[in-house]
């Protein structure tokens, strides 16, 4: 059953993989093979995360983590907690994710460099980035790269490089960020890591938009949509479909942008609680503001504000408040 799940997962047949892994977990649990069941739960948690079923993924991964704690397997615990960190990042519960990772990270830091340590650093960097703590993010991402390079693990190095690149770019070192991100993209392609490839194409597209290279941005974002669809990840499909509208927005193709944003919002709502809906609402709100449909802009931006206030992602919160302030001025409420 586990091998069948592996095969289905390798072919991105996520629903089939989920079924096989569930059966594997149940069978192993009945046999009292708790460690084997924990390993199967790790795989199941990854599938559930890819299906954007974050609550279920956390429940399954928490069970695996508890098993590893019981037998004091810190390496496997570290791998599982890194997955838990990613789920919290995608779910938008950033502070909770950071709090959960730090104790296990302290345990692994006291040991020799390991794959689990590199994975945990990368997961923590992801959470710090979403929290807007970019200087801390850079330090942690550089540590992830260092450990991954020591281990000569190209897959881990690709993901750590993605975290390193976005930290550099968001701290204003745009050219360095683009270079590091493009190296991470090449590594992800070389090892066939579609998850990291989808991750890294997103900021590449955004940064090229900011440079005014709209055609180049569109190529990266549209490719990310294709990769997300191949992965079968509803969250990333929603995110990247919406992001297709960003270069169109800045290039003045507002009908095209509106179509992308509306589809992105609709797909994000199907995912449920995640980081994706606030981003798509922000994009839609910005277009409505610029187009002069101010009531619609206020509706989208206020909903995004409700979703992110107190939890993040911080860059959404900042941009929503900027646009709401602009709306106040346009509507004659400068004091507000």
């Amino acid at each position: 059953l586990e091998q069948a799940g592996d095969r289905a997962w390798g072919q991105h047949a996520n629903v089939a993989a989920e079924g096989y892994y569930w059966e594997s977990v149940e069978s192993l649990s009945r046999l009292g093979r708790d460690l084997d069941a924990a390993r199967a739960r790790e795989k199941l948690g990854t599938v559930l995360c890819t299906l954007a079923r974050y609550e279920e993924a956390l429940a399954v991964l928490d069970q695996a983590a508890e098993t590893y704690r019981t037998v004091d397997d810190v390496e496997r615990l570290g791998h599982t907690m890194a997955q838990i960190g990613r789920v919290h990042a995608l779910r938008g519960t950033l502070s909770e994710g950071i709090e959960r990772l730090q104790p296990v990270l302290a345990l692994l830091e006291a040991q020799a460099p390991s794959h689990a340590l590199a994975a945990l650093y990368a997961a923590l960097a992801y959470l710090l980035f979403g929290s807007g703590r970019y200087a801390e993010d850079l330090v942690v991402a550089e540590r992830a790269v260092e450990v991954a390079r020591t281990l000569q693990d190209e897959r881990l190095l690709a993901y750590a490089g993605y975290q390193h690149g976005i930290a550099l770019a968001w701290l204003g070192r745009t050219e360095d960020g683009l270079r590091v991100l493009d190296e991470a993209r090449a590594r992800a392609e070389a090892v066939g890591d579609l998850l990291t490839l989808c991750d890294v194409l997103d900021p590449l597209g955004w940064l090229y938009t900011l440079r005014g290279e709209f055609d180049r941005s569109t190529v990266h974002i549209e490719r990310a949509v294709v990769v997300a669809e191949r992965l079968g990840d509803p969250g990333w499909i929603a995110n990247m479909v919406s992001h297709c509208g960003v270069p169109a927005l800045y290039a003045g193709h507002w009908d095209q942008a509106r179509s992308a944003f509306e589809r992105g919002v609709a797909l994000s709502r199907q995912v449920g609680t995640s980081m994706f809906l606030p981003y798509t609402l922000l994009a839609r709100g910005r277009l409505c503001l610029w187009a002069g449909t101010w009531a619609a802009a206020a509706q989208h931006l206020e909903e995004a504000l409700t979703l992110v206030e107190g939890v993040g992602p911080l860059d959404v919160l900042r941009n929503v408040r900027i646009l709401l302030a602009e709306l106040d001025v346009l509507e004659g409420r400068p004091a507000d």
Side-chain angles (χ1 to χ4, degrees):
L1 285 168
E2 187 176 348
Q3 288 174 2
D6 293 345
R7 180 177 175 81
W9 172 243
Q11 296 174 340
H12 310 294
N14 300 334
V15 175
E18 178 197 354
Y20 287 127
Y21 287 143
W22 269 123
E23 286 189 72
S24 177
V25 167
E26 290 166 359
S27 299
L28 290 164
S29 297
R30 282 196 302 269
L31 292 167
R33 292 168 55 184
D34 294 339
L35 280 175
D36 290 331
R39 183 187 66 244
R41 284 191 175 97
E42 279 188 79
K43 295 177 179 182
L44 175 59
T46 301
V47 174
L48 291 169
C49 179
T50 303
L51 290 168
R53 288 158 54 187
Y54 303 127
E55 299 295 333
E56 293 175 72
L58 282 176
V60 168
L61 291 168
D62 280 337
Q63 286 180 283
E66 188 55 39
T67 300
Y68 294 135
R69 281 194 188 91
T70 301
V71 298
D72 201 27
D73 188 337
V74 180
E75 178 73 10
R76 289 309 324 159
L77 175 61
H79 277 289
T80 304
M81 291 307 300
Q83 289 187 65
I84 287 172
R86 180 178 176 84
V87 176
H88 277 293
L90 296 174
R91 185 170 170 253
T93 45
L94 302 162
S95 297
E96 185 179 348
I98 292 169
E99 185 178 339
R100 295 198 61 189
L101 261 57
Q102 286 175 329
V104 182
L105 187 58
L107 289 174
L108 282 163
E109 282 174 331
Q111 301 180 8
S114 65
H115 292 82
L117 180 61
L120 266 178
Y121 275 131
L124 180 59
Y126 199 174
L127 290 158
L128 290 169
F129 174 79
S131 302
R133 295 158 61 178
Y134 303 136
E136 293 174 72
D137 173 21
L138 179 60
V139 172
V140 172
E142 286 175 341
R143 182 68 177 128
V145 169
E146 180 186 340
V147 176
R149 187 169 284 126
T150 298
L151 298 169
Q152 298 183 328
D153 187 320
E154 288 294 301
R155 183 176 287 265
L156 268 175
L157 196 52
Y159 189 65
Y162 155 62
Q163 300 298 341
H164 186 207
I166 57 175
L168 288 167
W170 263 251
L171 282 168
R173 295 168 58 182
T174 309
E175 295 305 315
D176 289 339
L178 278 169
R179 174 182 53 78
V180 172
L181 286 167
D182 202 51
E183 289 172 358
R185 175 200 56 75
R187 280 196 171 92
E189 287 176 333
V191 298
D193 184 352
L194 296 186
L195 283 169
T196 297
L197 181 58
C198 194
D199 282 344
V200 78
L201 286 168
D202 183 12
L204 280 171
W206 176 246
L207 290 169
Y208 283 123
T209 296
L210 293 181
R211 287 180 16 154
E213 298 180 43
F214 302 133
D215 290 343
R216 198 169 183 182
S217 171
T218 299
V219 167
H220 283 84
I221 295 170
E222 288 181 348
R223 188 173 176 212
V225 174
V226 172
V227 174
E229 288 174 342
R230 187 176 170 196
L231 282 168
D233 187 323
W236 276 106
I237 292 170
N239 192 48
M240 298 318 305
V241 163
S242 177
H243 285 188
C244 284
V246 174
L249 172 68
Y250 285 97
H253 306 306
W254 286 5
D255 286 342
Q256 182 182 339
R258 183 177 294 108
S259 176
F261 295 154
E262 287 176 355
R263 188 173 171 223
V265 169
L267 291 170
S268 296
R269 291 196 191 284
Q270 294 174 20
V271 172
T273 302
S274 73
M275 71 165 190
F276 302 113
L277 182 56
Y279 278 104
T280 56
L281 288 167
L282 169 63
R284 194 173 180 186
R286 179 181 279 113
L287 173 57
C288 290
L289 178 68
W290 291 0
T293 52
W294 293 344
Q299 178 185 342
H300 299 317
L301 294 170
E302 291 288 356
E303 183 181 357
L305 182 63
T306 300
L307 290 170
V308 300
E309 199 160 30
V311 293
L314 194 61
D315 59 335
V316 176
L317 182 61
R318 289 185 179 123
N319 281 283
V320 165
R321 287 198 175 281
I322 288 168
L323 294 177
L324 285 171
E326 186 175 342
L327 183 60
D328 288 334
V329 172
L330 290 169
E331 292 187 328
R333 299 189 307 276
D336 291 346

